[in-house]
Amino acid sequence: EKYNIAKTKLDIARKTLDNIYKDDYYQKQTSLQIERKRLEDERTKSRNQLIEAFNSWRHESDERLQMLYAEQHRADNALKELRQWHPMASDIKLVNEQMLQLKLEEKENAALQTAVKSQMARITAEYEMKENELKQSSERDQERLNKSLVQCHDKIAKIDDLLAHLDGSLYQWLCDNVSRWEDTLGKVVDEERILYSQGLEPQLTSASDSLFGVKLNLDNIDSVHRTPDEYRMEKKTLEEQVQQIKRQLMQLSVTLQEDISKLGKKYASLLNPLRQKATLVKVEEEQMPIKRQNLQNMRHKLEMEEQELISQEKEARERIFNDALLKVQAEKENREKNENK
């Protein structure tokens, strides 16, 4: 009983002590909870302020980054657009059109030269043909007159030969021995072979084998009478024809030269404009390589100027792009640093 009483007292004392400790503990817990809550409130307030400030900064950073991305994108597009940028394109196109026009002019020039040469060749051939026709006609006339001249000379030579055989001829014997023989014997004998022939041994006779009382030795006469004066008159006429033919021959040469001169003037009036045109076209052809070289030089100069402009613009745009890229990178690094912080 004493033990139980003592144990009961001890249990009561322990419980009392437990209650005291529990009260202290609860008070301490309450105090700690209040302090914890105060610290938590301060921490939350501080954290919220920090997060709010960070969010505000990050929002501003987002806007800055977005602007920087946009600037970088614009700079990148500007660099890409540079590949299609040709500041001298209109000037180069104009030069190319002029070169194309020059090429067309060269073709037209060549065609025109061919046409002019063809016309000149046709007119020259026509002139040469006409000239040959005049020369051939003159040669035919000359041959005809020369033939007539030869015939006249032959006739004159023949008459001279007959007149040279007058002495001792039958004709002279008849004139000396037979009166009015022209009305009898002269009508039946050949003047060239008989009357002016020598060696006929003419004799006056009444024999039946005579011819109007004149006997002739006809052994050397092959088998039809003009007077020497008639022969002389014919010779004079022939000599006049010879002189006339010679004058015609001389005039023929003069006429030929005059006709050729007229023909030359006529065709020269046709050829001279073509020659002038051919010369002008040839000069234009000779100037075309110079024009082409000038245009090529101008195009090369424009291309070099364009490359210089493109190079300068590329350098400027690359600088802008690199600046934008650096700004984006710097902003990203700053964001990472602040986020880590």
Side-chain angles (χ1 to χ4, degrees), residues 6 10 14 18 21 31 56 110 122 144 155 157 186 215 227 231 234 237 244 251 274 297 306 317:
L10 285 173
R14 183 182 59 84
D18 283 343
Y21 283 158
S31 175
S56 176
R122 179 182 58 78
R144 177 178 56 78
K155 290 180 181 179
K215 184 178 180 180
T227 66
Y231 273 114
E234 183 181 358
T237 301
Q244 183 178 1
Q251 184 62 35
L274 291 175
N297 292 339
E306 183 179 73
R317 295 188 184 188

Side-chain angles (χ1 to χ4, degrees), residues 50 54 57-58 331-341:
L50 184 61
F54 176 77
W57 173 87
R58 189 168 58 180
E331 186 66 26
K332 284 182 176 180
E333 291 176 355
N334 195 23
R335 282 169 64 89
E336 183 179 0
K337 179 180 177 181
N338 284 326
E339 285 175 356
N340 292 332
K341 182 181 178 180

Side-chain angles (χ1 to χ4, degrees), residues 175-187:
C175 290
D176 294 339
N177 297 285
V178 180
S179 62
R180 300 182 62 79
W181 65 271
E182 295 90 349
D183 298 329
T184 57
L185 189 63
K187 293 182 178 181

Side-chain angles (χ1 to χ4, degrees), residues 60-189:
E60 293 176 356
S61 178
D62 287 340
E63 292 180 348
R64 283 196 305 272
L65 192 59
Q66 192 66 30
M67 292 175 62
L68 291 174
Y69 275 136
E71 185 177 349
Q72 180 184 351
H73 184 68
R74 284 193 299 270
D76 185 51
N77 287 338
L79 275 174
K80 292 178 181 178
E81 291 171 358
L82 196 62
R83 300 170 188 169
Q84 306 298 326
W85 186 57
H86 298 285
M88 310 300 291
S90 59
D91 294 334
I92 294 175
K93 181 181 178 182
L94 180 61
V95 173
N96 288 334
E97 290 175 352
Q98 291 176 350
M99 292 183 70
L100 181 61
Q101 181 63 31
L102 183 63
K103 189 175 182 180
L104 294 176
E105 290 176 1
E106 284 180 331
K107 291 183 179 179
E108 292 175 357
N109 183 281
L112 186 57
Q113 285 196 61
T114 302
V116 171
K117 288 179 181 178
S118 177
Q119 291 179 353
M120 291 177 65
R122 179 182 58 78
I123 293 174
T124 301
E126 186 177 342
Y127 165 76
E128 292 175 351
M129 183 184 69
K130 297 285 186 182
E131 184 182 28
N132 288 331
E133 288 177 356
L134 289 174
K135 289 180 179 179
Q136 291 174 1
S137 176
S138 178
E139 288 176 358
R140 289 193 295 269
D141 292 340
Q142 187 175 3
E143 290 175 359
R144 177 178 56 78
L145 291 173
N146 284 329
K147 185 176 180 181
S148 299
L149 187 61
V150 170
Q151 291 175 351
C152 288
H153 282 305
D154 290 344
K155 290 180 181 179
I156 291 173
K158 195 172 183 179
I159 292 172
D160 288 338
D161 185 61
L162 286 173
L163 294 176
H165 292 80
L166 182 61
D167 292 340
S169 65
L170 176 60
Y171 182 89
Q172 188 181 41
W173 185 86
L174 288 173
C175 290
D176 294 339
N177 297 285
V178 180
S179 62
R180 300 182 62 79
W181 65 271
E182 295 90 349
D183 298 329
T184 57
L185 189 63
K187 293 182 178 181
V188 295
V189 298

Side-chain angles (χ1 to χ4, degrees), residues 269-282:
S269 64
L270 299 175
L271 284 172
N272 287 337
L274 291 175
R275 289 193 182 102
Q276 293 175 359
K277 191 172 184 178
T279 302
L280 180 61
V281 173
K282 187 65 177 178

Side-chain angles (χ1 to χ4, degrees), residues 183-327:
D183 298 329
T184 57
L185 189 63
K187 293 182 178 181
V188 295
V189 298
D190 179 82
E191 59 184 0
E192 295 180 7
R193 292 176 296 163
I194 303 300
L195 288 180
Y196 290 89
S197 179
Q198 297 175 343
L200 296 179
E201 301 174 2
Q203 296 178 8
L204 293 174
T205 182
S206 59
S208 60
D209 58 349
S210 64
L211 185 62
F212 297 104
V214 178
K215 184 178 180 180
L216 301 173
N217 181 10
L218 301 177
D219 293 340
N220 297 321
I221 302 301
D222 292 334
S223 303
V224 200
H225 144 78
R226 283 177 289 179
T227 66
D229 290 337
E230 288 175 334
Y231 273 114
R232 293 187 184 97
M233 183 61 68
E234 183 181 358
K235 179 182 177 182
K236 183 178 180 181
T237 301
L238 289 170
E239 289 175 342
E240 290 177 352
Q241 289 181 3
V242 168
Q243 295 301 319
Q244 183 178 1
I245 290 173
K246 288 182 178 179
R247 287 193 296 270
Q248 288 178 351
L249 284 170
M250 293 178 62
Q251 184 62 35
L252 197 63
S253 178
V254 174
T255 302
L256 176 61
Q257 295 301 320
E258 290 177 351
D259 290 342
I260 290 176
S261 178
K262 291 179 182 178
L263 186 68
K265 291 179 180 179
K266 175 184 176 182
Y267 281 90
S269 64
L270 299 175
L271 284 172
N272 287 337
L274 291 175
R275 289 193 182 102
Q276 293 175 359
K277 191 172 184 178
T279 302
L280 180 61
V281 173
K282 187 65 177 178
V283 170
E284 291 177 353
E285 181 191 22
E286 292 173 352
Q287 291 176 348
M288 285 181 180
I290 300 174
K291 292 181 179 179
R292 185 187 299 104
Q293 187 62 46
N294 290 337
L295 288 172
Q296 289 176 348
N297 292 339
M298 184 180 297
R299 183 173 64 183
H300 180 70
K301 180 182 178 182
L302 290 173
E303 289 173 348
M304 295 301 293
E305 290 179 355
E306 183 179 73
Q307 288 300 320
E308 181 65 23
L309 289 174
I310 292 175
S311 178
Q312 294 175 359
E313 187 66 21
K314 183 179 180 181
E315 184 178 353
R317 295 188 184 188
E318 284 179 345
R319 187 168 55 251
I320 294 173
F321 175 79
N322 291 332
D323 290 342
L325 192 63
L326 290 174
K327 288 178 180 179

